[in-house]
Amino acid sequence: MQGPTASFRVSLSIVVAVFLLGSSAAAAHGLRRVVSSSSDEPCNEMTLYYHDILYNGVNNTRNATSAAATKPTALSTTHWKNGTYFGMLVVFDDPLTVGKALPVAGEEPAARAQGFYFYDKQESYTSWFGFSIVFNSTAHKGTMNLVGADLMDDKTRDLSVVGGTGDFFMARGIATLRLDASEGAVYFRLQMDIKLYECYV
């Protein structure tokens, strides 16, 4: 049985190894690490609008950008009369734009959000997001990975930026979401204010 000192040494060794691997990966890409000294001064920031059009099973096949991969559990529709969609998983490939308007036919969005969210609270609308922002434009190339709870009753909520590739190699930061528009349960638009506090340039 290992004592506290031995466990600490093992934990410290793992932390050092992860740090060295990250540093080696950055060096291999010819990049240097920039860390913000203040939450008021991110090393990179942007605002994008996230458009989600949920497939309604009837007449929006052409425009839908997301679809339920599971149905809500019986628990959410019987025990909780407000129908919170508890247990429903939605997969999406949503356009992200710099302005509020959806891209017109033939126009490429600034990026795409590709991933999933699921409703994870029985009493009210709350979901958990896991997705990548995929950039493929003249402005940016690469990906940015986001995860976290979407507490829908809050006016704003934060998702963690936990990594990325290309222009956003190993990025760390926060994406603040706020509901900007909605049409029933079929369409919503989120404003995403992304601030990165660890960048590689």
Side-chain angles (χ1 to χ4, degrees):
M1 183 173 175
Q2 293 182 339
T5 304
S7 297
F8 175 75
R9 285 186 190 140
V10 170
S11 299
L12 183 60
S13 297
I14 291 170
V15 169
V16 170
V18 168
F19 175 77
L20 291 175
L21 284 172
S23 299
S24 299
H29 283 82
L31 302 172
R32 68 180 177 81
R33 183 173 177 240
V34 176
V35 179
S36 295
S37 58
S38 164
S39 62
D40 296 328
E41 298 177 8
C43 52
N44 194 352
E45 60 185 313
M46 67 181 71
T47 295
L48 294 171
Y49 290 89
Y50 171 113
H51 305 265
D52 185 87
I53 305 171
L54 183 64
Y55 176 58
N56 64 9
V58 182
N59 58 5
N60 71 343
T61 304
R62 182 180 296 248
N63 297 328
T65 60
S66 65
T70 63
K71 293 181 178 179
T73 63
L75 180 63
S76 72
T77 55
T78 56
H79 184 69
W80 302 104
K81 299 305 181 188
N82 55 354
T84 58
Y85 301 110
F86 177 65
M88 187 167 85
L89 171 72
V90 176
V91 179
F92 57 84
D93 179 13
D94 290 333
L96 300 177
T97 58
V98 175
K100 295 185 178 188
L102 274 165
V104 297
E107 181 184 15
E108 285 297 314
R112 298 199 75 86
Q114 298 172 333
F116 63 90
Y117 59 89
F118 58 85
Y119 293 93
D120 59 353
K121 190 171 182 181
Q122 297 175 10
E123 302 91 344
S124 61
Y125 291 107
T126 298
S127 63
W128 192 91
F129 271 94
F131 66 98
S132 295
I133 298 176
V134 180
F135 295 89
N136 188 18
S137 67
T138 54
H140 299 292
K141 301 281 186 192
T143 64
M144 193 185 301
N145 303 316
L146 289 79
V147 297
D150 182 13
L151 308 173
M152 297 182 201
D153 289 337
D154 293 350
K155 185 176 179 181
T156 64
R157 47 268 195 206
D158 294 331
L159 299 183
S160 301
V161 178
V162 297
T165 63
D167 293 346
F168 306 99
F169 177 79
M170 293 179 67
R172 302 285 188 277
I174 294 293
T176 300
L177 310 181
R178 61 178 50 83
L179 182 66
D180 189 63
S182 64
E183 294 176 14
V186 178
Y187 171 76
F188 65 84
R189 180 176 67 225
L190 298 176
Q191 179 179 327
M192 288 198 320
D193 296 316
I194 301 170
K195 295 183 178 181
L196 303 179
Y197 297 97
E198 184 173 337
C199 308
Y200 286 81
V201 294

